[in-house]
Amino acid sequence: MNRLSRAVLGLFAAPRINMREDYGKVRRVQQRLAALTGPRYRTAYRQTVAEVAGRAVPVRVFQPNRKRRDDVLLFFHGGGWVTGDIESYTPASATMAELTGCVVASVDYRLAPEYPFPAGLQDCYNVTRILLEEPHRAGIESAEKVVLVGDSAGANLAAAVSLMLRDEGLRTADRQVLLYPVTHWDHDPKTSPFASVRHHGEDYRLTNTEVQDYLDLYVPDPSQRRNPLVAPLMATDLSGQPASLVITAQLDLLCDEGEEYGRALSAAGNEVRIHRVDGALHGFIALPRFSRSLREAYEVINDFLDEVPSQQEPA
């Protein structure tokens, strides 16, 4: 990378935030930004709830202006399991609907530290299960049309939901799209097995310290952090998973672990495609629509959605 490119990317240097103390401030900033950008999307979605396991989980449903596919993208937002919500992710969800031509259902799962692991995961699992069992709730005839999508911590949740469904002997989704997923528990540059943690953990957007802070808030018990439902790469059995598209960002500390998870899924006999977006930073799915990184990712996602998914027998 030349000096000019590094200088431009330096404008996106990660802010030095103590996430353990300042997560509340980050949430408030996100909410204020959402309030500024939100009005343009007011006609693009409807608000509903999924009544599951005695709890109402808010879901925001986005309709594309021109529907090109019958798939429903069940989306779990990022934010380290601690920040982010369906409000702050409304622009990204609306963009997802427009650039794929699919209905997008964004799930407002519970956040840590108020609700640590596995609360948010259980919300995502329950919504996914009910949609797979009763796809007519989303206006589709078959569960084959449900696609799990997540970015960062949301991709971690999508991968964990797929493992949970398999372990429970239930039908999994046929397809999942994992955008720069968190798949490992160790992001200390001194001990991590991944070079990207050492090369990009102090540079842009997301830092290794921030990821570790997120994990501390999400999973307060250190003995639980190697649980495959927290760190999917720790799973000893990755068979029976959906056809998967794993998209990583070159300048993201999570790049290597995301790609390693894709290879592990493939080695377990699953259909997998791995795509690295060169020059991209963590979180690029939330960039404006003219962003090269975002448009490249959606070209790959659209190709994946157009492929014939592997057919599964209902459990």
Side-chain angles (χ1 to χ4, degrees), residues 81 156 181-188 191-194 197 211-212 215 225-228 230-234 253-254 256-258 260-261:
W81 311 278
N156 170 278
V182 185
T183 66
H184 201 261
W185 58 273
D186 183 6
H187 300 91
D188 184 332
T191 55
S192 170
F194 301 110
V197 170
V211 177
Q212 288 300 117
L215 274 167
R225 292 176 196 160
R226 301 192 193 201
N227 184 325
V230 174
L233 259 176
M234 297 295 99
L253 71 94
L254 302 178
D256 289 352
E257 67 188 73
E260 183 63 23
Y261 189 63

Side-chain angles (χ1 to χ4, degrees), residues 13-296:
R16 296 304 182 250
I17 296 173
N18 184 334
M19 194 56 63
R20 299 188 204 193
E21 296 180 0
D22 296 336
Y23 65 87
K25 296 178 183 178
V26 173
R27 288 178 185 172
R28 289 191 290 273
V29 169
Q30 290 175 336
Q31 290 164 0
R32 286 197 291 269
L33 290 174
L36 293 174
T37 60
R40 76 184 71 172
Y41 302 103
R42 292 302 180 196
T43 61
Y45 67 80
R46 65 182 175 87
Q47 192 80 15
T48 186
V49 294
E51 297 284 351
V52 288
R55 173 176 148 70
V57 180
V59 178
R60 187 165 286 184
V61 181
F62 297 80
Q63 295 282 348
N65 288 329
R66 186 168 69 88
K67 190 174 180 182
R68 303 193 303 276
R69 298 182 175 88
D70 294 331
D71 302 306
V72 171
L73 308 185
L74 187 59
F75 178 58
F76 307 137
H77 66 78
W81 311 278
V82 173
T83 67
D85 56 20
I86 55 176
E87 191 69 41
S88 60
Y89 265 80
T90 282
S93 299
T95 295
M96 185 179 297
E98 286 306 307
L99 296 186
T100 63
C102 296
V103 172
V104 174
S106 180
V107 179
D108 204 18
Y109 57 87
R110 287 171 289 179
L111 299 176
E114 295 88 346
Y115 301 99
F117 171 81
L121 173 59
Q122 196 66 51
D123 287 346
C124 295
Y125 169 80
N126 286 333
V127 173
T128 304
R129 178 174 176 176
I130 200 168
L131 193 56
L132 290 172
E133 292 176 350
E134 303 177 47
H136 63 273
R137 291 194 178 202
I140 52 179
E141 296 181 357
S142 171
E144 295 171 5
K145 296 297 184 180
V146 177
V147 183
L148 300 186
V149 184
D151 82 305
S152 193
N156 170 278
L157 292 169
V161 164
S162 293
L163 290 172
M164 291 177 70
L165 290 167
R166 190 276 314 274
D167 290 345
E168 293 291 331
L170 300 173
R171 191 197 201 289
T172 65
D174 283 1
R175 291 165 291 172
Q176 63 181 2
V177 178
L178 308 178
L179 294 152
Y180 35 87
V182 185
T183 66
H184 201 261
W185 58 273
D186 183 6
H187 300 91
D188 184 332
K190 297 178 182 178
T191 55
S192 170
F194 301 110
S196 61
V197 170
R198 288 182 287 281
H199 294 161
H200 303 301
E202 296 293 338
D203 295 338
Y204 320 110
R205 298 279 295 176
L206 185 70
T207 67
N208 41 42
T209 299
E210 189 175 346
V211 177
Q212 288 300 117
D213 286 349
Y214 280 137
L215 274 167
D216 288 346
L217 293 169
Y218 178 51
V219 191
D221 181 358
S223 68
Q224 282 291 309
R225 292 176 196 160
R226 301 192 193 201
N227 184 325
L229 299 183
V230 174
L233 259 176
M234 297 295 99
T236 57
D237 179 9
L238 287 173
S239 64
Q241 294 302 285
S244 301
L245 171 61
V246 180
I247 297 181
T248 61
Q250 180 191 13
L251 302 179
D252 179 12
L253 71 94
L254 302 178
C255 182
D256 289 352
E257 67 188 73
E259 294 175 3
E260 183 63 23
Y261 189 63
R263 289 189 289 270
L265 286 172
S266 181
N270 302 290
E271 183 180 332
V272 181
R273 179 177 180 184
I274 301 170
H275 181 86
R276 180 187 297 182
V277 181
D278 289 340
L281 303 174
H282 183 85
F284 66 77
I285 202 67
L287 291 175
R289 297 184 190 184
F290 58 78
S291 162
R292 181 199 61 79
S293 299
L294 179 134
R295 300 198 71 86
E296 178 180 330

